[in-house]
Coordinates of all heavy atoms in Angstrom, one line a residue:
M27 N 3.0 -3.8 -16.0 CA 2.5 -2.7 -15.2 C 1.9 -3.2 -13.9 O 1.4 -4.3 -13.8 CB 1.4 -1.9 -16.0 CG 1.9 -0.6 -16.6 SD 1.7 0.8 -15.4 CE -0.1 1.0 -15.6
T28 N 2.0 -2.3 -12.9 CA 1.5 -2.6 -11.6 C 1.0 -1.3 -11.0 O 1.2 -0.2 -11.5 CB 2.6 -3.2 -10.7 OG1 2.1 -3.5 -9.4 CG2 3.8 -2.2 -10.5
H29 N 0.4 -1.4 -9.8 CA 0.1 -0.3 -9.0 C 1.1 -0.2 -7.9 O 1.8 -1.2 -7.6 CB -1.3 -0.3 -8.5 CG -2.4 0.2 -9.4 ND1 -2.5 -0.4 -10.7 CD2 -3.3 1.1 -9.3 CE1 -3.5 0.3 -11.3 NE2 -4.0 1.2 -10.5
V30 N 1.3 1.0 -7.4 CA 2.4 1.3 -6.4 C 1.8 2.0 -5.2 O 1.0 3.0 -5.4 CB 3.5 2.1 -7.0 CG1 4.5 2.6 -6.0 CG2 4.1 1.4 -8.2
I31 N 2.2 1.6 -4.0 CA 1.8 2.4 -2.8 C 3.0 3.3 -2.4 O 4.1 2.8 -2.3 CB 1.5 1.5 -1.6 CG1 0.2 0.6 -2.0 CG2 1.2 2.3 -0.3 CD1 -0.2 -0.4 -0.9
T32 N 2.7 4.6 -2.3 CA 3.8 5.5 -2.0 C 3.9 5.8 -0.5 O 3.0 5.3 0.3 CB 3.5 6.9 -2.7 OG1 2.3 7.4 -2.2 CG2 3.4 6.7 -4.2
K33 N 4.9 6.5 -0.1 CA 5.1 6.9 1.3 C 3.9 7.6 2.0 O 3.9 7.6 3.2 CB 6.3 7.8 1.4 CG 7.6 7.2 1.1 CD 8.8 8.2 1.3 CE 10.1 7.6 0.8 NZ 10.0 7.2 -0.7
Q34 N 3.0 8.1 1.1 CA 1.9 8.8 1.7 C 1.1 7.8 2.6 O 0.3 8.3 3.5 CB 1.0 9.3 0.6 CG 1.6 10.5 -0.1 CD 0.9 10.6 -1.5 OE1 1.1 9.8 -2.4 NE2 0.2 11.7 -1.7
C35 N 1.2 6.5 2.4 CA 0.5 5.5 3.3 C 1.1 5.5 4.7 O 0.3 5.2 5.6 CB 0.7 4.1 2.6 SG 0.2 2.7 3.7
E36 N 2.3 5.9 4.9 CA 3.0 5.8 6.2 C 2.1 6.4 7.3 O 1.6 7.5 7.2 CB 4.3 6.5 6.1 CG 5.4 5.6 5.8 CD 6.8 6.3 5.9 OE1 6.9 7.3 6.6 OE2 7.7 5.8 5.3
S37 N 2.0 5.7 8.3 CA 1.3 6.1 9.6 C -0.2 6.2 9.4 O -0.9 6.3 10.5 CB 1.9 7.4 10.1 OG 3.3 7.3 10.3
T38 N -0.8 6.1 8.2 CA -2.2 5.9 8.1 C -2.5 4.4 8.0 O -3.1 3.8 8.9 CB -2.8 6.6 6.9 OG1 -2.5 8.0 6.9 CG2 -4.3 6.4 6.7
C39 N -1.9 3.8 7.0 CA -1.8 2.3 6.9 C -3.1 1.6 7.4 O -3.0 0.7 8.2 CB -0.6 1.9 7.8 SG 0.2 0.4 7.2
D40 N -4.3 2.1 6.9 CA -5.5 1.6 7.5 C -6.0 0.3 6.9 O -7.1 -0.2 7.3 CB -6.6 2.7 7.4 CG -7.0 2.9 6.0 OD1 -6.2 2.5 5.1 OD2 -8.1 3.4 5.7
T41 N -5.3 -0.3 6.0 CA -5.6 -1.6 5.3 C -6.8 -1.6 4.5 O -7.3 -2.7 4.0 CB -5.7 -2.7 6.4 OG1 -6.9 -2.7 7.1 CG2 -4.5 -2.7 7.4
A42 N -7.5 -0.5 4.2 CA -8.6 -0.4 3.3 C -8.4 -1.0 2.0 O -9.2 -1.7 1.4 CB -9.2 1.0 3.2
C43 N -7.2 -0.8 1.5 CA -6.8 -1.4 0.1 C -6.7 -2.9 0.2 O -7.1 -3.6 -0.8 CB -5.5 -0.8 -0.3 SG -4.1 -0.9 0.8
V44 N -6.3 -3.4 1.3 CA -6.1 -4.9 1.4 C -7.5 -5.5 1.3 O -7.6 -6.6 0.6 CB -5.5 -5.2 2.8 CG1 -5.4 -6.8 2.9 CG2 -4.1 -4.6 2.9
S45 N -8.5 -4.9 1.8 CA -9.8 -5.5 1.8 C -10.4 -5.6 0.4 O -11.3 -6.5 0.2 CB -10.8 -4.6 2.7 OG -10.3 -4.4 4.0
V46 N -10.0 -4.8 -0.5 CA -10.7 -4.9 -1.8 C -9.8 -5.5 -2.9 O -10.3 -5.8 -4.0 CB -11.1 -3.5 -2.3 CG1 -12.1 -2.8 -1.4 CG2 -9.8 -2.6 -2.5
C47 N -8.6 -5.8 -2.6 CA -7.7 -6.4 -3.6 C -8.1 -7.8 -3.9 O -8.1 -8.7 -3.0 CB -6.2 -6.4 -3.2 SG -5.1 -7.1 -4.4
P48 N -8.5 -8.1 -5.2 CA -9.0 -9.4 -5.5 C -7.9 -10.5 -5.6 O -8.3 -11.7 -5.6 CB -9.7 -9.2 -6.9 CG -8.9 -8.1 -7.5 CD -8.5 -7.2 -6.3
V49 N -6.7 -10.1 -5.6 CA -5.6 -11.1 -5.7 C -4.7 -11.1 -4.5 O -3.6 -11.8 -4.5 CB -4.8 -11.0 -7.0 CG1 -5.7 -11.4 -8.2 CG2 -4.4 -9.5 -7.2
D50 N -5.0 -10.4 -3.5 CA -4.3 -10.4 -2.2 C -2.8 -10.2 -2.4 O -1.9 -11.0 -1.9 CB -4.5 -11.8 -1.5 CG -4.0 -11.8 0.0 OD1 -4.0 -10.7 0.6 OD2 -3.7 -12.8 0.5
V51 N -2.4 -9.1 -3.0 CA -1.0 -8.8 -3.3 C -0.5 -7.6 -2.5 O 0.6 -7.1 -2.7 CB -0.7 -8.6 -4.8 CG1 -0.9 -9.9 -5.5 CG2 -1.6 -7.4 -5.3
I52 N -1.4 -7.1 -1.5 CA -0.9 -6.0 -0.7 C -0.6 -6.5 0.7 O -1.4 -7.0 1.4 CB -2.1 -4.9 -0.6 CG1 -2.6 -4.5 -2.0 CG2 -1.6 -3.7 0.2 CD1 -3.7 -3.5 -2.0
H53 N 0.7 -6.2 1.0 CA 1.2 -6.7 2.3 C 2.2 -5.7 2.8 O 2.6 -4.8 2.1 CB 1.9 -8.1 2.1 CG 1.0 -9.1 1.6 ND1 0.2 -9.8 2.3 CD2 0.9 -9.6 0.3 CE1 -0.5 -10.7 1.6 NE2 -0.1 -10.5 0.3
G54 N 2.7 -5.9 4.1 CA 3.6 -5.0 4.7 C 4.1 -5.5 6.0 O 3.6 -6.6 6.5
P55 N 5.0 -4.8 6.7 CA 5.5 -5.2 7.9 C 4.6 -5.0 9.1 O 5.0 -4.5 10.2 CB 6.8 -4.3 8.0 CG 6.4 -3.1 7.4 CD 5.5 -3.4 6.2
V56 N 3.3 -5.3 8.9 CA 2.3 -5.1 10.0 C 1.4 -6.3 10.0 O 1.3 -7.0 9.0 CB 1.4 -3.8 9.7 CG1 2.3 -2.6 9.7 CG2 0.7 -4.0 8.4
N57 N 0.8 -6.6 11.2 CA -0.2 -7.6 11.3 C -1.5 -6.9 10.9 O -2.0 -6.1 11.7 CB -0.2 -8.2 12.7 CG -1.2 -9.3 12.8 OD1 -2.4 -9.2 12.4 ND2 -0.8 -10.5 13.3
V58 N -2.0 -7.2 9.7 CA -3.2 -6.6 9.2 C -4.4 -6.7 10.2 O -5.1 -5.7 10.5 CB -3.6 -7.1 7.8 CG1 -5.0 -6.6 7.4 CG2 -2.5 -6.6 6.8
D59 N -4.6 -7.9 10.7 CA -5.7 -8.1 11.6 C -5.6 -7.3 12.9 O -6.6 -6.7 13.4 CB -5.9 -9.6 12.0 CG -6.3 -10.4 10.7 OD1 -7.0 -9.8 9.9 OD2 -6.0 -11.6 10.7
E60 N -4.4 -7.2 13.5 CA -4.2 -6.5 14.7 C -4.4 -5.0 14.4 O -5.0 -4.3 15.2 CB -2.7 -6.7 15.2 CG -2.5 -8.0 15.9 CD -1.1 -8.2 16.4 OE1 -0.3 -7.2 16.4 OE2 -0.7 -9.3 16.7
L61 N -3.9 -4.5 13.3 CA -4.1 -3.1 12.9 C -5.6 -2.7 12.8 O -6.0 -1.7 13.2 CB -3.3 -2.8 11.6 CG -2.7 -1.5 11.4 CD1 -1.8 -1.1 12.6 CD2 -1.9 -1.5 10.2
R62 N -6.3 -3.6 12.1 CA -7.7 -3.4 11.9 C -8.5 -3.3 13.2 O -9.5 -2.6 13.3 CB -8.3 -4.5 11.1 CG -8.1 -4.3 9.6 CD -8.7 -5.5 8.8 NE -8.4 -5.3 7.4 CZ -8.3 -6.3 6.6 NH1 -8.4 -7.6 7.0 NH2 -8.1 -6.1 5.3
A63 N -8.0 -3.9 14.2 CA -8.7 -4.0 15.5 C -8.5 -2.7 16.3 O -9.3 -2.4 17.2 CB -8.3 -5.1 16.3
L64 N -7.6 -1.8 15.8 CA -7.3 -0.6 16.5 C -8.1 0.6 15.9 O -8.4 0.5 14.7 CB -5.8 -0.3 16.5 CG -4.9 -1.4 17.1 CD1 -3.4 -1.0 16.8 CD2 -5.1 -1.4 18.6
E65 N -8.3 1.6 16.7 CA -9.0 2.8 16.2 C -8.1 4.0 16.4 O -7.3 4.0 17.2 CB -10.3 3.0 17.0 CG -11.3 1.9 16.9 CD -12.0 1.8 15.6 OE1 -12.0 2.8 14.8 OE2 -12.6 0.8 15.3
G66 N -8.4 5.0 15.5 CA -7.8 6.3 15.7 C -6.4 6.4 16.2 O -5.5 5.9 15.5
A67 N -6.2 7.0 17.3 CA -4.9 7.3 17.8 C -4.1 6.0 18.1 O -2.9 5.9 17.8 CB -4.9 8.1 19.1
D68 N -4.8 5.0 18.5 CA -4.1 3.7 18.8 C -3.5 3.1 17.5 O -2.4 2.6 17.4 CB -5.1 2.7 19.4 CG -5.4 3.0 20.8 OD1 -4.6 3.8 21.4 OD2 -6.4 2.6 21.3
R69 N -4.3 3.2 16.4 CA -3.8 2.7 15.1 C -2.7 3.6 14.6 O -1.7 3.0 14.1 CB -5.0 2.7 14.1 CG -4.5 2.2 12.7 CD -5.6 2.3 11.7 NE -6.5 1.2 11.8 CZ -7.8 1.3 11.4 NH1 -8.2 2.3 10.7 NH2 -8.6 0.3 11.5
A70 N -2.8 4.9 14.7 CA -1.7 5.8 14.3 C -0.4 5.4 15.0 O 0.7 5.5 14.4 CB -2.1 7.2 14.5
T71 N -0.5 5.1 16.2 CA 0.7 4.8 17.0 C 1.3 3.4 16.5 O 2.5 3.3 16.3 CB 0.4 4.7 18.5 OG1 -0.2 5.9 18.9 CG2 1.6 4.3 19.3
A72 N 0.4 2.5 16.3 CA 0.9 1.1 15.9 C 1.4 1.2 14.5 O 2.4 0.4 14.1 CB -0.3 0.1 16.0
A73 N 0.9 2.1 13.6 CA 1.3 2.2 12.2 C 2.4 3.2 12.0 O 2.8 3.4 10.8 CB 0.1 2.5 11.3
A74 N 2.9 3.9 13.0 CA 3.8 5.0 12.9 C 5.0 4.5 12.0 O 5.7 3.6 12.3 CB 4.3 5.4 14.3
G75 N 5.3 5.3 11.0 CA 6.4 5.0 10.1 C 6.3 3.8 9.2 O 7.2 3.5 8.5
L76 N 5.1 3.1 9.3 CA 5.0 1.9 8.5 C 4.1 2.1 7.3 O 3.2 3.0 7.4 CB 4.4 0.8 9.4 CG 5.2 0.4 10.6 CD1 4.5 -0.7 11.4 CD2 6.6 -0.2 10.1
Q77 N 4.3 1.4 6.2 CA 3.4 1.4 5.1 C 3.2 0.0 4.5 O 4.0 -0.9 4.8 CB 3.9 2.4 4.0 CG 5.1 1.9 3.3 CD 5.3 2.6 1.9 OE1 6.0 3.6 1.9 NE2 4.8 2.1 0.8
L78 N 2.2 -0.1 3.6 CA 2.0 -1.4 2.9 C 2.6 -1.2 1.5 O 2.9 -0.1 1.0 CB 0.5 -1.7 2.8 CG -0.2 -1.9 4.2 CD1 -1.6 -2.4 4.0 CD2 0.6 -2.9 5.1
F79 N 2.8 -2.4 0.9 CA 3.4 -2.4 -0.5 C 2.5 -3.3 -1.4 O 1.9 -4.3 -0.9 CB 4.8 -3.0 -0.4 CG 5.7 -2.2 0.5 CD1 6.0 -2.6 1.8 CD2 6.3 -1.0 0.0 CE1 6.8 -1.9 2.6 CE2 7.1 -0.2 0.9 CZ 7.4 -0.7 2.1
I80 N 2.7 -3.1 -2.7 CA 2.0 -4.0 -3.7 C 3.0 -4.8 -4.4 O 4.0 -4.3 -4.9 CB 1.2 -3.1 -4.7 CG1 0.0 -2.4 -4.0 CG2 0.7 -4.0 -5.9 CD1 -0.7 -1.4 -4.8
D81 N 2.7 -6.1 -4.5 CA 3.6 -7.1 -5.2 C 3.5 -6.9 -6.7 O 2.4 -7.2 -7.2 CB 3.3 -8.5 -4.8 CG 4.2 -9.5 -5.4 OD1 5.0 -9.1 -6.3 OD2 4.2 -10.7 -5.0
P82 N 4.5 -6.3 -7.4 CA 4.4 -6.0 -8.8 C 4.2 -7.3 -9.6 O 3.7 -7.2 -10.8 CB 5.7 -5.3 -9.1 CG 6.6 -5.7 -8.1 CD 5.8 -6.0 -6.8
D83 N 4.6 -8.4 -9.1 CA 4.4 -9.7 -9.9 C 3.0 -10.2 -9.9 O 2.7 -11.1 -10.7 CB 5.4 -10.7 -9.4 CG 6.8 -10.3 -9.8 OD1 7.0 -9.6 -10.7 OD2 7.8 -10.8 -9.0
G84 N 2.2 -9.7 -8.9 CA 0.9 -10.3 -8.7 C -0.2 -9.3 -9.0 O -1.4 -9.8 -9.3
C85 N 0.0 -8.0 -9.0 CA -1.0 -7.0 -9.2 C -1.5 -7.2 -10.6 O -0.8 -7.2 -11.6 CB -0.4 -5.6 -9.1 SG -1.5 -4.3 -9.4
I86 N -2.9 -7.2 -10.7 CA -3.5 -7.3 -12.1 C -4.0 -6.0 -12.6 O -4.8 -5.9 -13.5 CB -4.7 -8.3 -12.0 CG1 -5.8 -7.9 -11.0 CG2 -4.2 -9.7 -11.7 CD1 -7.0 -8.7 -11.0
N87 N -3.6 -4.9 -11.9 CA -3.9 -3.5 -12.4 C -5.4 -3.2 -12.5 O -5.8 -2.5 -13.4 CB -3.3 -3.3 -13.8 CG -2.0 -2.6 -13.7 OD1 -1.8 -1.7 -12.9 ND2 -1.0 -3.1 -14.4
C88 N -6.2 -3.8 -11.6 CA -7.6 -3.6 -11.7 C -8.0 -2.2 -11.2 O -9.1 -1.6 -11.5 CB -8.4 -4.6 -10.8 SG -8.1 -4.5 -9.0
G89 N -7.1 -1.6 -10.3 CA -7.4 -0.2 -9.8 C -8.4 -0.1 -8.7 O -8.7 1.0 -8.2
C90 N -8.9 -1.3 -8.2 CA -9.9 -1.3 -7.1 C -9.4 -0.6 -5.8 O -10.1 0.0 -5.1 CB -10.3 -2.7 -6.8 SG -11.2 -3.6 -8.0
C91 N -8.1 -0.7 -5.6 CA -7.5 -0.2 -4.3 C -7.4 1.4 -4.3 O -7.5 2.0 -3.3 CB -6.1 -0.7 -4.1 SG -5.0 -0.6 -5.5
V92 N -7.3 2.0 -5.5 CA -7.1 3.4 -5.6 C -8.1 4.3 -4.9 O -7.8 5.1 -4.0 CB -6.9 3.9 -7.0 CG1 -6.8 5.4 -7.1 CG2 -5.7 3.2 -7.7
P93 N -9.4 4.1 -5.2 CA -10.4 5.0 -4.5 C -10.6 4.6 -3.0 O -11.2 5.4 -2.3 CB -11.7 4.7 -5.3 CG -11.5 3.4 -5.9 CD -10.0 3.2 -6.2
E94 N -10.1 3.5 -2.6 CA -10.3 3.1 -1.2 C -9.4 3.9 -0.2 O -9.6 4.0 1.0 CB -10.1 1.6 -1.0 CG -11.1 0.7 -1.7 CD -12.5 1.0 -1.3 OE1 -12.8 1.1 -0.1 OE2 -13.4 1.1 -2.2
C95 N -8.3 4.4 -0.8 CA -7.2 4.9 0.0 C -7.6 6.4 0.5 O -7.8 7.3 -0.3 CB -5.9 5.0 -0.7 SG -4.6 5.6 0.3
P96 N -7.6 6.5 1.9 CA -8.0 7.8 2.4 C -7.0 8.9 2.2 O -7.3 10.1 2.4 CB -8.3 7.6 3.9 CG -7.4 6.4 4.2 CD -7.4 5.6 2.9
V97 N -5.8 8.6 1.8 CA -4.7 9.6 1.7 C -4.2 9.6 0.3 O -3.1 10.2 0.0 CB -3.6 9.3 2.7 CG1 -4.1 9.6 4.1 CG2 -3.0 7.9 2.6
D98 N -4.9 9.0 -0.7 CA -4.5 9.0 -2.1 C -3.0 8.5 -2.3 O -2.3 9.2 -3.0 CB -4.7 10.4 -2.7 CG -6.1 10.8 -2.7 OD1 -7.0 9.9 -2.8 OD2 -6.4 12.0 -2.7
A99 N -2.7 7.4 -1.6 CA -1.3 7.0 -1.7 C -1.0 6.0 -2.8 O 0.2 5.7 -3.1 CB -1.0 6.2 -0.4
I100 N -2.0 5.6 -3.6 CA -1.8 4.5 -4.6 C -2.0 5.1 -6.0 O -2.9 5.8 -6.3 CB -2.8 3.4 -4.4 CG1 -2.9 3.0 -2.9 CG2 -2.5 2.2 -5.3 CD1 -4.0 1.9 -2.6
Y101 N -1.0 4.7 -6.8 CA -1.0 5.2 -8.2 C -0.7 4.0 -9.2 O 0.1 3.1 -8.8 CB 0.1 6.2 -8.4 CG 0.0 7.4 -7.6 CD1 0.5 7.5 -6.3 CD2 -0.7 8.6 -8.0 CE1 0.4 8.6 -5.5 CE2 -0.8 9.7 -7.3 CZ -0.2 9.7 -6.0 OH -0.3 10.8 -5.2
P102 N -1.2 4.1 -10.4 CA -0.6 3.2 -11.4 C 0.9 3.5 -11.6 O 1.3 4.7 -11.4 CB -1.4 3.6 -12.7 CG -2.6 4.3 -12.2 CD -2.2 5.0 -10.9
E103 N 1.7 2.5 -11.9 CA 3.1 2.7 -11.9 C 3.5 3.9 -12.8 O 4.5 4.7 -12.5 CB 3.8 1.4 -12.5 CG 5.3 1.5 -12.5 CD 5.8 0.1 -13.0 OE1 5.1 -0.7 -13.5 OE2 7.0 -0.1 -12.8
D104 N 2.9 4.1 -13.9 CA 3.3 5.2 -14.8 C 2.7 6.5 -14.5 O 2.9 7.5 -15.2 CB 3.0 4.8 -16.3 CG 1.5 4.5 -16.5 OD1 0.7 4.7 -15.6 OD2 1.1 4.3 -17.7
E105 N 2.0 6.6 -13.4 CA 1.5 7.9 -12.9 C 2.0 8.3 -11.5 O 1.5 9.2 -10.9 CB -0.1 7.8 -12.9 CG -0.7 7.7 -14.3 CD -2.2 7.6 -14.2 OE1 -2.8 8.0 -13.3 OE2 -2.8 7.0 -15.2
V106 N 3.0 7.6 -11.0 CA 3.5 7.9 -9.7 C 4.2 9.3 -9.8 O 5.0 9.5 -10.7 CB 4.6 6.8 -9.3 CG1 5.3 7.3 -8.0 CG2 3.9 5.5 -9.1
P107 N 3.8 10.2 -8.9 CA 4.5 11.6 -9.0 C 6.0 11.4 -8.8 O 6.5 10.5 -8.1 CB 3.8 12.3 -7.8 CG 2.6 11.5 -7.5 CD 2.8 10.1 -7.9
A108 N 6.7 12.4 -9.4 CA 8.2 12.3 -9.3 C 8.7 12.3 -7.9 O 9.7 11.6 -7.6 CB 8.7 13.6 -10.0
A109 N 8.0 12.9 -7.0 CA 8.4 13.0 -5.6 C 8.4 11.6 -4.9 O 9.1 11.4 -3.9 CB 7.6 13.9 -4.8
Y110 N 7.7 10.7 -5.5 CA 7.5 9.3 -4.9 C 8.1 8.2 -5.9 O 7.8 7.1 -5.7 CB 6.1 9.1 -4.6 CG 5.5 10.0 -3.7 CD1 4.4 10.9 -4.1 CD2 5.9 10.1 -2.4 CE1 3.9 11.8 -3.2 CE2 5.4 11.0 -1.5 CZ 4.4 11.9 -1.9 OH 3.8 12.8 -1.0
E111 N 8.9 8.6 -6.8 CA 9.4 7.7 -7.8 C 10.1 6.5 -7.2 O 10.1 5.4 -7.6 CB 10.2 8.4 -8.8 CG 10.1 7.7 -10.2 CD 10.5 8.7 -11.3 OE1 10.0 9.8 -11.4 OE2 11.4 8.4 -12.1
S112 N 10.9 6.8 -6.1 CA 11.7 5.7 -5.5 C 10.8 4.7 -4.8 O 11.2 3.6 -4.5 CB 12.6 6.3 -4.4 OG 11.9 6.9 -3.4
D113 N 9.5 5.0 -4.7 CA 8.6 4.0 -4.1 C 8.3 2.8 -5.0 O 7.8 1.8 -4.6 CB 7.3 4.7 -3.6 CG 7.5 5.6 -2.4 OD1 8.4 5.3 -1.6 OD2 6.9 6.6 -2.3
I114 N 8.5 3.1 -6.3 CA 8.2 2.0 -7.3 C 9.2 0.8 -6.9 O 8.8 -0.3 -6.8 CB 8.5 2.5 -8.7 CG1 7.5 3.6 -9.1 CG2 8.4 1.3 -9.7 CD1 7.7 4.2 -10.4
E115 N 10.5 1.2 -6.7 CA 11.5 0.2 -6.4 C 11.2 -0.4 -5.0 O 11.4 -1.6 -4.7 CB 12.9 0.8 -6.5 CG 14.0 -0.1 -6.0 CD 14.1 -1.4 -6.8 OE1 13.7 -1.4 -8.0 OE2 14.6 -2.4 -6.3
A116 N 10.8 0.5 -4.1 CA 10.6 0.1 -2.7 C 9.5 -1.0 -2.6 O 9.6 -1.9 -1.8 CB 10.2 1.3 -1.8
N117 N 8.4 -0.8 -3.4 CA 7.4 -1.9 -3.4 C 7.9 -3.2 -3.9 O 7.7 -4.2 -3.3 CB 6.2 -1.4 -4.3 CG 5.2 -0.5 -3.6 OD1 4.1 -0.8 -3.4 ND2 5.7 0.7 -3.2
A118 N 8.7 -3.2 -5.0 CA 9.3 -4.4 -5.6 C 10.2 -5.0 -4.6 O 10.2 -6.3 -4.4 CB 9.9 -4.1 -6.9
R119 N 11.0 -4.2 -4.0 CA 12.1 -4.7 -3.1 C 11.5 -5.4 -1.9 O 12.0 -6.4 -1.4 CB 12.9 -3.5 -2.6 CG 14.2 -3.9 -1.9 CD 15.2 -2.8 -1.8 NE 14.6 -1.6 -1.1 CZ 14.5 -0.4 -1.6 NH1 15.0 -0.2 -2.8 NH2 13.9 0.6 -1.0
Y120 N 10.3 -5.0 -1.4 CA 9.7 -5.6 -0.2 C 9.4 -7.1 -0.5 O 9.5 -7.9 0.4 CB 8.4 -4.9 0.1 CG 7.8 -5.5 1.4 CD1 8.3 -5.2 2.6 CD2 6.7 -6.4 1.3 CE1 7.7 -5.8 3.8 CE2 6.2 -7.0 2.4 CZ 6.7 -6.7 3.6 OH 6.2 -7.3 4.7
F121 N 9.1 -7.4 -1.8 CA 8.7 -8.8 -2.1 C 9.9 -9.6 -2.7 O 9.7 -10.8 -3.0 CB 7.6 -8.8 -3.1 CG 6.3 -8.2 -2.5 CD1 6.0 -6.9 -2.7 CD2 5.5 -8.9 -1.7 CE1 4.9 -6.3 -2.2 CE2 4.3 -8.4 -1.1 CZ 4.0 -7.0 -1.4
S122 N 11.0 -9.0 -2.9 CA 12.2 -9.7 -3.5 C 13.0 -10.5 -2.6 O 13.8 -11.4 -3.0 CB 13.1 -8.6 -4.2 OG 13.7 -7.9 -3.3
G123 N 12.9 -10.2 -1.3 CA 13.7 -11.0 -0.4 C 13.1 -12.2 0.2 O 13.7 -13.0 0.8
Ligands
LIG7 S1 -4.6 -2.6 -8.7 FE1 -6.0 -4.3 -8.1 S2 -4.7 -6.1 -8.1 FE2 -3.3 -4.3 -8.0 S3 -3.0 -4.0 -5.8 FE3 -4.7 -2.7 -6.4 S4 -6.6 -3.9 -6.0 FE4 -4.8 -5.3 -6.0
LIG8 S1 -5.7 2.3 1.8 FE1 -3.9 3.8 1.5 S2 -3.3 4.4 3.6 FE2 -4.6 2.6 3.8 S3 -3.1 0.9 3.8 FE3 -3.8 1.1 1.7 S4 -2.3 2.5 0.8 FE4 -2.0 2.7 3.0

């Protein structure tokens, strides 16, 4: 089992989950430090269309990231809403290449 970040992260992508993950398995096509340095509209522009992903091979299912997310984008794998089911594979695929 793993946790999964869904598309709801897109364009918010505020990295709050990264800060609390004890095993550093949350990554994505963004420079986290650069993103953190931006505020409000500037961050939204830099993160437009982008989201972070959780490495299913490293996630220890602690759940720490879930309450940190301002847009409720993170779910345990077996609780991902049907509308976001394809994000389970999308998270795994990001780390497979
Ligand atoms: S559930 Fe825990 S280990 Fe998995 S991504 Fe979230 S904070 Fe990291
Ligand atoms: S806390 Fe939520 S919105 Fe922010 S980067 Fe993580 S999953 Fe995306």
Side-chain angles (χ1 to χ4, degrees):
M27 256 269 285
T28 181
H29 276 56
V30 172
I31 297 179
T32 64
K33 288 180 189 61
Q34 290 158 292
C35 169
E36 267 186 21
S37 304
T38 299
C39 209
D40 69 339
T41 75
C43 53
V44 177
S45 303
V46 300
C47 180
V49 287
D50 191 26
V51 293
I52 306 177
H53 301 280
V56 296
N57 182 310
V58 168
D59 291 332
E60 282 178 17
L61 213 52
R62 279 179 178 152
L64 300 172
E65 300 286 344
D68 287 341
R69 179 184 286 158
T71 301
L76 300 177
Q77 73 161 86
L78 299 186
F79 302 100
I80 293 172
D81 184 348
D83 290 334
C85 175
I86 58 171
N87 263 320
C88 66
C90 294
C91 52
V92 174
E94 299 301 316
C95 182
V97 292
D98 295 331
I100 311 174
Y101 301 86
E103 183 178 14
D104 60 359
E105 293 177 24
V106 174
Y110 300 115
E111 213 158 304
S112 65
D113 291 326
I114 298 173
E115 176 59 28
N117 278 244
R119 195 166 52 237
Y120 182 78
F121 298 96
S122 69

